[in-house]
């Protein structure tokens, strides 16, 4: 268990970005929540990851403690914000672990700022929009503040309401998130050309199919040939499919900490 958690705000790209720091030593690991999430959504995962390194959990624009600004949500600007935060906190080259929406943000950070990111773990996030299952995409297409009464009864809203500087901002969060989730993207070429060693982690009952995870891995040079008797791996990247895990529990799974820790310390 981590004995002490430090917290603060950092001014990056016009955003007053909330952060929490725990652990010590090693390459700093920045952890990014999913849509509507806060740092607390990870439960004990942050403490497990902090047993061997410094862990900095953040909250993106308009999420949790971090106030919104007059700027649309975009994976690209979120990626810039993450790297700017690392600079503001003087972390040096960082490792990144992002879940779902945060996985997209972390992936863009590694693509856009390869010299600032040492290793990348993408959890339950595709590299193109069509990677989500069709029913998941249909739900994304409906995301707006029109569904506020439904969201108000969810743990996500309760976590937001416990820490947000302005409860009235949740409607804007829903609208901006919906606009982001409906935006088409396909980062196939960027992922193929990316130089940062990366790991994709999904559940075998996730919101994206294992076949998409395998395609991601192949773009990183994995799963294309046998490693050989000498044990030389064909790629510095990895793929983990966690059994019995879904999009809605993988971010607190103890085995996520295990596979991420093994990759980050390899």
């Amino acid at each position: 268990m981590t004995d002490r958690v430090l917290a603060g705000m950092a001014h990056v790209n016009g955003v007053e970005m909330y952060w929490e720091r725990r652990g010590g030593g090693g390459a700093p690991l920045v952890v990014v929540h999913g849509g509507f999430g806060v740092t607390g959504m990870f439960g004990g995962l942050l403490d497990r990851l902090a047993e061997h390194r410094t862990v900095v959990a953040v909250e993106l624009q308009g999420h949790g403690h971090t106030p919104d600004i007059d700027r649309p949500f975009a994976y690209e600007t979120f990626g810039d914000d993450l790297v700017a935060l690392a600079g503001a906190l003087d972390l040096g080259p960082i490792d990144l672990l992002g879940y779902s929406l945060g996985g997209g943000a972390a992936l863009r950070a590694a693509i856009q700022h390869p010299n600032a990111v040492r290793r990348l773990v993408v959890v339950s996030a595709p590299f193109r929009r069509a990677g989500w299952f069709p029913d998941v995409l249909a739900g994304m297409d409906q995301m707006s503040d029109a569904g506020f009464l439904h969201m108000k009864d969810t743990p996500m809203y309760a976590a937001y309401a416990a820490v947000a500087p302005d409860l009235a901002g949740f409607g804007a969060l829903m609208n901006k998130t919906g606009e982001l989730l409906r935006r088409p993207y396909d980062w196939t070429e960027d992922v193929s050309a990316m130089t940062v060693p990366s790991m994709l982690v999904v559940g075998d009952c996730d919101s994206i199919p294992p076949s998409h995870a395998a395609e991601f891995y192949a773009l990183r040079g994995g799963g294309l040939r046998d490693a050989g008797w000498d044990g030389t791996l064909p790629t510095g990247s990895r793929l983990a499919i966690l059994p019995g895990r879904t999009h809605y529990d993988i971010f607190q799974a103890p085995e996520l900490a295990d596979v991420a820790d093994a990759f980050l310390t390899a």
Side-chain angles (χ1 to χ4, degrees), residues 122-133 136 140 185 200-214 216 241 246-247:
V122 177
V123 182
S124 297
F127 62 86
R128 62 169 176 263
R129 187 174 187 268
W132 299 102
F133 278 119
V136 176
M140 292 176 176
Y185 64 93
L200 178 66
V201 186
V202 298
D204 61 2
C205 301
D206 214 310
S207 295
I208 60 176
S211 58
H212 183 85
F216 182 106
I241 299 179
T246 74
H247 198 74

Side-chain angles (χ1 to χ4, degrees), residues 142-208:
Q142 300 302 314
M143 177 59 65
S144 75
D145 64 357
F148 173 72
L149 290 181
H150 171 71
M151 287 292 291
K152 194 173 181 181
D153 294 327
T154 66
M156 289 181 290
Y157 178 77
Y160 173 90
V163 300
D166 179 12
L167 292 184
F170 196 79
L173 175 60
M174 293 185 71
N175 288 331
K176 286 188 172 184
T177 300
E179 291 165 4
L180 173 64
L181 297 180
R182 286 188 289 272
R183 184 184 119 193
Y185 64 93
D186 187 337
W187 301 327
T188 299
E189 293 184 2
D190 291 333
V191 168
S192 181
M194 187 171 65
T195 58
V196 176
S198 52
M199 180 178 200
L200 178 66
V201 186
V202 298
D204 61 2
C205 301
D206 214 310
S207 295
I208 60 176

Side-chain angles (χ1 to χ4, degrees), residues 75-102:
Y75 291 112
E76 292 82 358
T77 51
F78 285 159
D80 289 341
D81 291 347
L82 293 173
V83 173
L85 176 78
L89 298 182
D90 197 26
L91 298 179
I94 58 171
D95 292 336
L96 270 172
L97 184 153
Y99 158 72
S100 194
L101 183 147

